[in-house]
């Protein structure tokens, strides 16, 4: 029997010798109990005193943090989207660092809420997206944070769609590699109207066409102001490493760059 427990509050938490954990007072609710026959039911449980947990309970959700490791929420686009949907209306954190190695994104990920901010955490994994899949981070306060360039990787086989689309206010991208694996016109990172936001420790590579830029700054109908970029590496892109859409000449893109911004081909255009 597997117990999936959400621990809401406890006091007098003690670690005793051995593998058992002693808790002074524990409130457990939303417990999912499943048997070997596959039957499952939800139940509220209140435990007081000093219960000992000697097995291996798995917590899929703790307050406003939801964990994805393939047990309750699958290591997939459906699992990530379901975990986000299960967060409270005030937002929270979706932690997918338990998904490691080769993973698949079969549907787009879109996090653009202005009222339900989420921080998405990714670990040592390579997420390979189906054709046409895009990851969009925008809205207010939404963040996607990986384990670092070369450790968290997103591979996009896009004919025309961009890999990542980034916009919003107080938003953030950090710590991963964007790899365009097809011969299409998709840009690795498309930045639209970002304000007071940051992009850090990102590699954008292998966009294949002359318009498939590594980093495409596109103010659109709004300006991008106070955008900070640090440790951005744009490599092996057939277009430009960094391209500012000059057709939006009535708009501005004020970039504060701290640290290193690097491209090994066609460094800048449109600025």
């Amino acid at each position: 029997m597997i117990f999936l427990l959400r621990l809401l509050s406890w006091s007098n938490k003690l670690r005793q010798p051995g593998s058992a954990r002693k808790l002074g007072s524990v409130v457990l609710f939303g417990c999912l109990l499943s048997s070997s026959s596959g039957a499952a039911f939800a139940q509220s449980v209140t435990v007081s005193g000093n219960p000992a947990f000697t097995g291996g309970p798995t917590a899929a959700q703790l307050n406003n943090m939801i964990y994805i490791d393939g047990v309750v929420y699958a290591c997939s686009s459906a699992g990530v989207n379901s975990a986000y949907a299960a967060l409270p209306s005030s937002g929270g954190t979706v932690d997918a660092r338990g998904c490691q190695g080769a993973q698949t994104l079969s549907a787009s990920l879109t996090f653009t809420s202005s009222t339900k901010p989420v921080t998405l955490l990714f670990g040592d994994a390579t997420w390979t997206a189906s054709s046409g899949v895009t990851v969009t981070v925008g809205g207010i306060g939404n963040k996607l944070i990986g384990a670092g360039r070369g450790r968290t990787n997103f591979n996009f086989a896009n004919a025309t769609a961009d890999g990542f689309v980034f916009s919003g206010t107080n938003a953030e991208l950090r710590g991963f590699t964007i790899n365009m694996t097809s011969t299409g016109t998709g840009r690795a990172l498309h930045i639209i109207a970002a304000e007071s936001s940051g992009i850090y420790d990102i590699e954008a590579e292998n966009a294949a066409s002359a318009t498939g830029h590594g980093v495409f700054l596109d103010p659109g109908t709004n300006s991008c102001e106070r955008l900070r970029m640090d440790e951005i590496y744009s490599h092996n892109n057939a277009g430009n490493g960094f391209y500012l859409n000059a057709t939006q000449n009535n708009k501005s893109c004020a970039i504060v760059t701290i640290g290193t911004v690097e491209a090994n081909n066609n460094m800048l255009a449109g600025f």
Side-chain angles (χ1 to χ4, degrees):
M1 180 175 290
I2 301 171
F3 294 82
L4 302 177
L5 309 176
R6 179 178 179 182
L7 310 182
L8 274 193
S9 63
W10 63 88
S11 61
N12 302 323
K13 180 179 177 182
L14 300 174
R15 170 67 79 176
Q16 301 294 337
S19 61
R21 173 171 292 179
K22 299 292 186 178
L23 304 176
S25 177
V26 182
V27 178
L28 309 176
F29 79 96
C31 298
L32 177 63
L33 310 181
S34 61
S35 68
S36 58
S37 64
F41 58 93
Q43 179 176 314
S44 295
V45 180
T46 299
V47 181
S48 60
N50 294 303
F53 295 91
T54 57
T58 299
Q61 181 172 348
L62 177 60
N63 296 332
N64 65 343
M65 177 174 283
I66 294 182
Y67 299 91
I68 303 175
D69 57 7
V71 177
V72 175
Y73 295 97
C75 292
S76 65
S77 49
V80 174
N81 286 326
S82 294
Y84 174 68
L87 286 174
S89 59
S90 57
T93 299
V94 172
D95 188 344
R97 290 176 296 183
C99 301
Q100 299 187 0
Q103 306 295 340
T104 300
L105 291 179
S106 59
S108 293
L109 303 179
T110 302
F111 306 98
T112 56
S113 174
S114 297
T115 59
K116 185 181 176 180
V118 61
T119 296
L120 297 129
L121 304 177
F122 288 87
D124 292 287
T126 295
W127 294 80
T128 298
S130 302
S131 179
V133 166
T134 295
V135 177
T136 302
V137 177
I140 298 178
N142 295 297
K143 302 176 181 180
L144 192 153
I145 301 173
R149 287 177 290 113
R151 295 181 60 187
T152 301
N153 305 287
F154 293 92
N155 295 338
F156 294 94
N158 288 344
T160 57
D162 299 319
F164 269 78
V165 176
F166 180 71
S167 63
T169 302
N170 295 324
E172 181 178 327
L173 299 179
R174 182 188 295 269
F176 54 87
T177 294
I178 307 168
N179 179 31
M180 306 299 285
T181 63
S182 77
T183 57
T185 58
R187 285 76 54 110
L189 174 57
H190 186 175
I191 302 170
I192 305 173
E195 181 176 348
S196 299
S197 297
I199 304 173
Y200 311 102
D201 189 29
I202 299 294
E203 184 165 20
E205 60 184 14
N206 298 324
S209 76
T211 57
H213 312 295
V215 179
F216 183 59
L217 294 124
D218 183 18
T221 58
N222 299 288
S223 301
C224 52
E225 303 288 347
R226 298 179 298 280
L227 172 63
R228 291 171 169 80
M229 296 195 298
D230 183 13
E231 298 290 334
I232 310 299
Y233 299 86
S234 185
H235 293 158
N236 301 320
N237 298 293
N240 292 281
F242 298 86
Y243 184 88
L244 175 62
N245 187 0
T247 62
Q248 302 292 341
N249 55 16
N250 62 325
K251 303 299 178 184
S252 65
C253 201
I255 304 171
V256 179
T257 300
I258 305 171
T260 300
V261 174
E262 174 185 302
N264 68 355
N265 61 310
N266 301 332
M267 176 65 177
L268 298 172
F271 288 84

